[in-house]
Amino acid sequence: MDKTTVIGIIVGVLAIGVGMVLKGVNVLALVNPAALIIIFLGTLAAVFISFPMNTIKNIPQLIKIIFKESNESDLKTIITMFTNLSDVVRKEGVLALETHMSEFTDTFLKSGIGLIVDGQKPEFIRDVLLEKIDAMEQRHQKGIRLFTQAGTFAPTLGVLGAVVGLIAALGHMEDVALLGKAISAAFIATLFGIFSGYVLWHPFANKLREKSKDEVQVKLVMIEGILSVANGESPLVIKDKLGSYLSTKEFDQWKLEQEEEMNA
């Protein structure tokens, strides 16, 4: 579970609720089925019109990514893995990598190691893997655009909901008390529109964007590691090369962990 997503939503809801109470507004005013329908179903309708079905059907998977903690291996683990693979190649040869293929769960990594075993040139391996990253980024962008557009639609639909509410309110001009309540209820749609747009949909798009960047970063490190192994570089060279992707503090901590493991 991605704790930051959950915490953010909870804090956002509490901020609205507590703010309403402090302003003297009854929180039960939010129980407005008409506003909920106009905003959330209206946003869904606009998204359906804007995107093809092969993008729409990925919404459940995108939601899962937003709320699920990234399962990407951390960079220190990746560096350690490539230094070990380099040691295997230097001692047993390139074909020895084939015996380690079953250990890899990442299909990108497995593909790169497979190209080494097949005897492909490093330049070809780089081109193939970069194409895979480019295709992955394009897939990610579709999900990001979907939530970005939803964040654009929702506030505008909030204005539409307020207009509809005001039209209904004008039908009660003879009753001042009822008119006041109707006008108040009319702006609940605006509240839902702005809240969902700027606390849910736009942040969801940004979370997908950040997770995409992190995944690309990991894949780029993997490419450098794969090419280093393909070129027969020593574990020490690979350690220094890939270690540049870590901060100085992380690199020093990783070196200390490695020394402790060797001395254990």
Side-chain angles (χ1 to χ4, degrees):
M1 179 69 73
D2 190 325
K3 294 179 181 178
T4 58
T5 302
V6 177
I7 291 172
I9 292 175
I10 292 173
V11 171
V13 172
L14 287 176
I16 295 297
V18 173
M20 290 180 68
V21 171
L22 292 177
K23 287 290 186 178
V25 180
N26 190 342
V27 179
L28 293 178
L30 294 175
V31 183
N32 190 320
L36 290 170
I37 290 172
I38 291 172
I39 300 306
F40 290 99
L41 282 186
T43 301
L44 184 62
V47 167
F48 264 82
I49 295 169
S50 302
F51 294 91
M53 184 54 70
N54 62 350
T55 301
I56 298 294
K57 68 182 182 181
N58 289 328
I59 291 178
Q61 181 63 26
L62 294 171
I63 295 293
K64 183 179 178 181
I65 292 171
I66 290 167
F67 282 91
K68 184 179 179 182
E69 191 67 50
S70 177
N71 58 3
E72 292 291 331
S73 301
D74 67 88
L75 295 183
K76 291 184 285 186
T77 301
I78 292 172
I79 297 171
T80 301
M81 176 189 64
F82 280 115
T83 55
N84 293 337
L85 290 177
S86 173
D87 195 45
V88 169
V89 171
R90 290 168 69 87
K91 291 179 179 178
E92 305 174 34
V94 172
L95 293 179
L97 291 174
E98 192 167 10
T99 61
H100 294 268
M101 293 284 285
S102 59
E103 301 174 7
F104 307 134
T105 56
D106 189 291
T107 55
F108 183 85
L109 175 62
K110 187 176 291 187
S111 173
I113 298 298
L115 290 171
I116 296 177
V117 174
D118 287 342
Q120 300 295 339
K121 294 181 179 180
E123 295 79 9
F124 177 79
I125 295 174
R126 180 188 292 275
D127 289 342
V128 170
L129 296 181
L130 286 176
E131 284 293 332
K132 287 179 178 288
I133 290 179
D134 185 59
M136 180 189 72
E137 286 187 289
Q138 290 185 34
R139 292 194 301 271
H140 291 177
Q141 284 301 317
K142 291 181 180 179
I144 293 169
R145 285 196 299 269
L146 188 149
F147 282 107
T148 299
Q149 286 300 312
T152 302
F153 297 143
T156 305
L157 286 167
V159 176
L160 175 63
V163 171
V164 172
L166 289 174
I167 291 172
L170 292 175
H172 302 288
M173 292 290 289
E174 72 286 349
D175 190 332
V176 176
L178 190 57
L179 176 63
K181 291 181 180 179
I183 292 175
S184 174
F187 286 102
I188 294 298
T190 304
L191 186 153
F192 281 141
I194 295 173
F195 177 85
S196 62
Y198 293 102
V199 181
L200 296 178
W201 313 138
H202 276 304
F204 281 3
N206 198 63
K207 177 58 71 73
L208 289 172
R209 187 179 295 109
E210 290 302 312
K211 289 195 173 188
S212 177
K213 289 180 181 178
D214 291 342
E215 188 172 354
V216 169
Q217 177 74 0
V218 169
K219 295 291 190 287
L220 290 174
V221 174
M222 285 184 178
I223 288 179
E224 291 303 319
I226 289 167
L227 294 177
S228 296
V229 171
N231 289 324
E233 295 176 2
S234 69
L236 183 60
V237 171
I238 292 177
K239 184 185 298 184
D240 288 337
K241 179 189 290 187
L242 300 187
S244 63
Y245 287 92
L246 299 173
S247 66
T248 303
K249 182 178 180 181
E250 289 175 326
F251 185 68
D252 291 340
Q253 182 181 4
W254 176 71
K255 287 179 66 176
L256 181 61
E257 291 173 356
Q258 292 291 300
E259 291 173 1
E260 291 176 350
E261 288 182 8
M262 292 178 64
N263 296 328

